[in-house]
Amino acid sequence: MTVLLISGSPSAASRTGRLIDHLAGRLDRPATVLRLRDLPAEPLLHGDIAHPELARAARLVRAADVIVVATPIYKASYTGLLKSFLDVLPQGAFAGKTVVPVATGGTVAHLLAVDYALRPVLNVLGARHVTRGLFVLDSQIEPPAEELLPRIDALLEEVPLAAVA
């Protein structure tokens, strides 16, 4: 079984990216990290799924059994970068997969964005199972706050193949 971690952050100095790296490091198996910011912007915005880099990213999605979708929350929603990527994927791209929604934000006011903004689009893409989400305050990411680690471990225990290392 394969795990794909998708970072929807447009920032090179992303706390979401650091959280994804931390999650990947806690898995008991290798995982692939896909940083959407590294995809070519023009083909992505034009929905050119035939572009080699977008086609490669779509193949990673198809091959994954478990997908962690992580995004910073801006203005009560996931990033436009993540939206653009999800829009180029075919309907049912997450069919048969377990999907783990993860969001980061600067304030607890964004907490509900996981359930009200991100979860619906993951369901529309056909996820077999969307686990409970994880919302992490930016201030808890680096260094990881003591109260964050048990929350991460509890989330990973819900994912079928992601035993904590």
Side-chain angles (χ1 to χ4, degrees), residues 25-58:
R26 296 189 68 76
L27 299 176
D28 68 348
R29 66 190 66 242
T32 301
V33 175
L34 174 60
R35 297 183 197 289
L36 299 182
R37 69 176 305 279
D38 294 336
L39 295 176
E42 188 170 336
L44 182 61
L45 291 175
H46 290 178
D48 181 8
I49 196 66
H51 186 279
E53 291 183 54
L54 293 184
R56 178 188 160 279

Side-chain angles (χ1 to χ4, degrees), residues 4-160:
L4 175 64
L5 298 106
I6 299 173
S7 174
S9 176
S11 172
S14 168
R15 285 181 285 270
T16 302
R18 288 193 293 276
L19 180 60
I20 280 284
D21 292 341
H22 184 74
L23 287 168
R26 296 189 68 76
L27 299 176
D28 68 348
R29 66 190 66 242
T32 301
V33 175
L34 174 60
R35 297 183 197 289
L36 299 182
R37 69 176 305 279
D38 294 336
L39 295 176
E42 188 170 336
L44 182 61
L45 291 175
H46 290 178
D48 181 8
I49 196 66
H51 186 279
E53 291 183 54
L54 293 184
R56 178 188 160 279
R59 283 192 304 275
L60 290 172
V61 169
R62 271 194 308 277
D65 299 299
V66 175
I67 300 174
V68 177
V69 176
T71 181
I73 300 299
Y74 295 127
K75 299 179 184 171
S77 188
Y78 52 91
T79 64
L81 177 60
L82 179 58
K83 173 69 169 142
S84 295
F85 179 70
L86 296 176
D87 283 350
V88 301
L89 294 176
Q91 192 70 24
F94 290 172
K97 302 174 187 316
T98 297
V99 181
V100 182
V102 175
T104 61
T107 173
V108 293
H110 294 303
L111 175 68
L112 294 177
V114 173
D115 289 325
Y116 292 103
L118 188 54
R119 182 178 302 278
V121 75
L122 301 176
N123 284 318
V124 164
L125 286 168
R128 175 180 52 82
H129 173 62
V130 179
T131 69
R132 68 185 168 94
L134 176 66
F135 178 82
V136 180
L137 288 170
D138 291 342
S139 62
Q140 295 178 313
I141 295 172
E142 201 166 335
E146 188 174 316
E147 65 272 12
L148 177 59
L149 300 178
R151 292 176 52 218
I152 289 173
D153 291 345
L155 178 70
L156 293 177
E157 287 173 7
E158 287 184 30
V159 181

